[in-house]
Amino acid sequence: MTPDQPAAPRSRQAAASGRPGPLAGAAARPRPAVSRGGERSAAPARPQSGRGKAAATTPQGRDKAGKGRQSAPRVPRRPAIRAPRRPSKGSLLDALRGAQQRAKKAWDRPLTAYYLILGGAALITVLGLVMVYSASQIKALQSGLAPSYFFRKQLFAAALGGALMLLAVRMPIKLHRAFAYPLLAASVFLMCLVQVPGIGISVNGNQNWISFGGPFMLQPSEFGKLALVLWGADLLARKQDKRLLAQWKHLLVPLVPAAALLLGMIMLGGDMGTAIILSAILFGLLWLAGAPTRLFAGVLAFAGAIAILLIKTSPNRMSRLACIGATEPGANDQCWQAVHGIYALANGGWFGSGLGASMEKWGELPEPHTDFIFAITGEELGLAGTLSVLVLFAALGYAGIRVAGRTEDPFVRYAAGGVTTWITAQAVINIGAVLGLLPIAGVPLPLFSYGGSALLPTMFAVGLLIAFARAEPAARAALAMRQPALRKKLARVRRKTMRRRVKERPSGER
């Protein structure tokens, strides 16, 4: 301390040195407040400062504080057991609303339809390959073939269909529109060849196949579905650009006559199931084109009258109609296939008897790997497996409707709606027949049943939907933004793999 600096109070010196001063205890005491009348009132105690705490921790402070009282032993308290709080109704509703908003936000993303179509079609095709291999082994052995005979053919068709799907994705929309007319002409020509003796082959009473020698056969009516979708979409789009769809003549001609030509050639071979799918595509295109209710109802009534006439004039079709909801094979076992399809679903239970453990495929159920593969799926994978297939088809249908509803291009709208109607109607007819709710129409389950003639055009149609989903402006922008990020990620992976390879080299290598 310099001589010019005044001496600090003793208490402050003591506090600075850490020793208690004479004013340490007094500083911690509350001072009485003086009112205006001169009376003193107790003022609230101020919190202790650092000096008071320092004084209380010294031995002298503890002696002064401990005078007149004794420390009692502390008894530990048991922690109170509280019941878990139950969420109130308001919190549950808020959680549900939040989940609904998150799900709606996820559904509204630009690439949702793209991922649903690509993922749903891929999963249906892969699961179909597994079930074809499981359901066709006994059938192949009974025919003197290798157990994997049908599976290898289906796998080859799936690989070829994958190439066609990739081609459809890469093709521009203008090329799709130009491809519609040659495809329609080729389909009509092949359907004419089916009726030529020596070229056309009858299978299960329906003459709608062309043999190319050996096991390779082709069903032209399956390609007629794709031709009607593309050609009808291009025709309606051109008429909409010219504002001619408001007149019912331009709406029906030449779309309905061309569809009637395809239907007549299919019915000459006796394949009513394919004719029903073709009619569904036609009505789907008319609905998307905005046909008036009276016109739409009139065409539907005319088609229904023709269908009733064709059913009543055929004993085979009448017997199939009588098997709806049957639980017994009936006279001459006319409902044998429908009843054993129900038996297969009943044997599966919740989770099935196991992959490959079906009993109905041992000669009891006809066509276990084609028309009734859904029944074998229910027997081996149970209700869980069949519901999974239904969910995949529902997701594919929803994505197709979304693509058709969000586009501004009329061709894309009609083509996406036609493909969605085709796949959804065929799945409903096949599954309804297996469940005993609809007559057996003899149509395969799309992307799932055995048959290359049905798989190839269907996978090309799925490629159309993928191309249309990618062509949306928002989806195109989202894909463009993800490309740089994907390239960076691939570059990081390559660098990491190169570093690992360098570390794993022996010390003697350079």
Side-chain angles (χ1 to χ4, degrees):
M1 182 170 57
T2 58
D4 297 336
Q5 184 177 1
R10 188 176 180 182
S11 59
R12 294 183 180 178
Q13 295 177 359
S17 62
R19 293 175 297 180
L23 299 178
R29 297 175 186 173
R31 296 179 180 180
V34 181
S35 62
R36 293 181 180 180
E39 298 179 358
R40 294 183 179 182
S41 60
R46 297 180 180 178
Q48 294 181 354
S49 61
R51 300 174 185 175
K53 290 182 181 179
T57 54
T58 58
Q60 298 176 2
R62 284 196 300 268
D63 293 341
K64 293 180 181 179
K67 288 182 180 180
R69 66 179 182 183
Q70 295 180 358
S71 59
R74 296 181 179 179
V75 180
R77 296 181 180 179
R78 296 180 180 179
I81 300 176
R82 297 180 180 180
R85 295 181 178 179
R86 296 182 179 179
S88 60
K89 294 183 179 180
S91 61
L92 285 176
L93 291 176
D94 294 340
L96 291 176
R97 290 173 183 172
Q100 183 181 2
Q101 291 178 357
R102 288 191 296 271
K104 186 177 180 181
K105 186 178 180 180
W107 284 112
D108 290 337
R109 290 179 180 176
L111 295 176
T112 299
Y114 169 72
Y115 288 128
L116 283 179
I117 297 170
L118 181 61
L123 289 175
I124 293 172
T125 305
V126 172
L127 184 58
L129 287 172
V130 174
M131 293 311 304
V132 165
Y133 179 68
S134 176
S136 64
Q137 292 180 0
I138 307 303
K139 186 75 174 179
L141 291 174
Q142 290 175 350
S143 303
L145 303 171
S148 61
Y149 174 77
F150 295 105
F151 169 74
R152 285 187 276 110
K153 289 186 63 178
Q154 185 74 358
L155 183 61
F156 175 75
L160 187 58
L164 290 177
M165 183 174 67
L166 183 61
L167 178 64
V169 172
R170 296 299 180 183
M171 286 175 60
I173 296 179
K174 293 182 179 180
L175 190 57
H176 282 297
R177 301 183 69 168
F179 178 66
Y181 294 88
L183 181 61
L184 180 64
S187 301
V188 173
F189 176 72
L190 291 176
M191 288 182 189
C192 293
L193 289 181
V194 169
Q195 306 303 324
V196 176
I199 299 178
I201 297 177
S202 179
V203 178
N204 295 329
N206 296 334
Q207 189 170 355
N208 51 5
W209 295 84
I210 296 177
S211 177
F212 292 94
F216 296 100
M217 294 191 301
L218 182 68
Q219 188 176 2
S221 57
E222 294 292 337
F223 292 89
K225 302 173 186 176
L226 180 62
L228 180 61
V229 168
L230 290 177
W231 178 78
D234 179 70
L235 177 67
L236 293 175
R238 286 189 292 107
K239 289 195 173 186
Q240 181 174 344
D241 292 339
K242 297 179 181 179
R243 300 180 180 180
L244 297 175
L245 292 181
Q247 305 176 18
W248 67 271
K249 294 181 180 180
H250 288 281
L251 185 62
L252 297 181
V253 180
L255 178 62
V256 175
L261 175 63
L262 293 176
L263 288 171
M265 299 181 69
I266 292 173
M267 289 305 301
L268 284 177
D271 189 3
M272 190 170 182
T274 305
I276 293 174
I277 305 301
L278 214 64
S279 301
I281 295 173
L282 174 62
F283 288 120
L285 291 175
L286 290 176
W287 180 271
L288 290 170
T293 307
R294 295 180 180 178
L295 182 63
F296 190 83
V299 175
L300 185 61
F302 179 73
I306 294 179
I308 293 174
L309 180 62
L310 293 174
I311 290 174
K312 285 191 174 182
T313 54
S314 174
N316 184 22
R317 295 176 189 138
M318 286 297 297
S319 64
R320 292 186 179 186
L321 190 64
C323 292
I324 297 178
T327 56
E328 296 293 336
N332 300 324
D333 293 335
Q334 63 178 2
C335 298
W336 180 272
Q337 188 173 9
V339 170
H340 279 271
I342 299 296
Y343 289 168
L345 293 174
N347 292 336
W350 290 98
F351 300 102
S353 58
L355 192 63
S358 171
M359 299 298 296
E360 292 293 333
K361 67 182 180 183
W362 288 78
E364 297 294 333
L365 181 64
E367 306 297 334
H369 60 297
T370 55
D371 299 346
F372 271 70
I373 193 172
F374 189 77
I376 303 299
T377 304
E379 186 177 6
E380 294 185 353
L381 302 182
L383 182 64
T386 55
L387 288 180
S388 301
V389 175
L390 291 176
V391 168
L392 290 175
F393 274 109
L396 191 61
Y398 166 80
I401 294 173
R402 173 172 170 168
V403 171
R406 292 196 173 191
T407 184
E408 296 180 357
D409 190 343
F411 173 77
V412 173
R413 184 186 308 113
Y414 297 136
V419 170
T420 306
T421 305
W422 165 16
I423 296 177
T424 306
Q426 189 165 331
V428 168
I429 291 174
N430 179 275
I431 296 174
V434 174
L435 296 176
L437 302 176
L438 295 174
I440 300 175
V443 295
L445 190 59
L447 303 172
F448 201 84
S449 296
Y450 170 79
S453 296
L455 185 62
L456 294 180
T458 307
M459 294 193 74
F460 188 89
V462 171
L464 280 175
L465 290 179
I466 295 175
F468 296 156
R470 288 167 55 95
E472 293 183 5
R476 192 183 305 169
L479 289 173
M481 292 176 62
R482 291 192 176 188
Q483 286 181 358
L486 183 60
R487 291 174 183 173
K488 291 181 181 179
K489 191 174 182 179
L490 290 175
R492 292 175 185 173
V493 172
R494 289 175 183 173
R495 280 192 232 113
K496 289 182 180 179
T497 52
M498 292 298 294
R499 290 174 184 173
R500 290 176 184 174
R501 290 178 182 176
V502 172
K503 290 180 180 179
E504 290 176 358
R505 286 180 180 176
S507 58
E509 292 188 10
R510 293 183 178 179

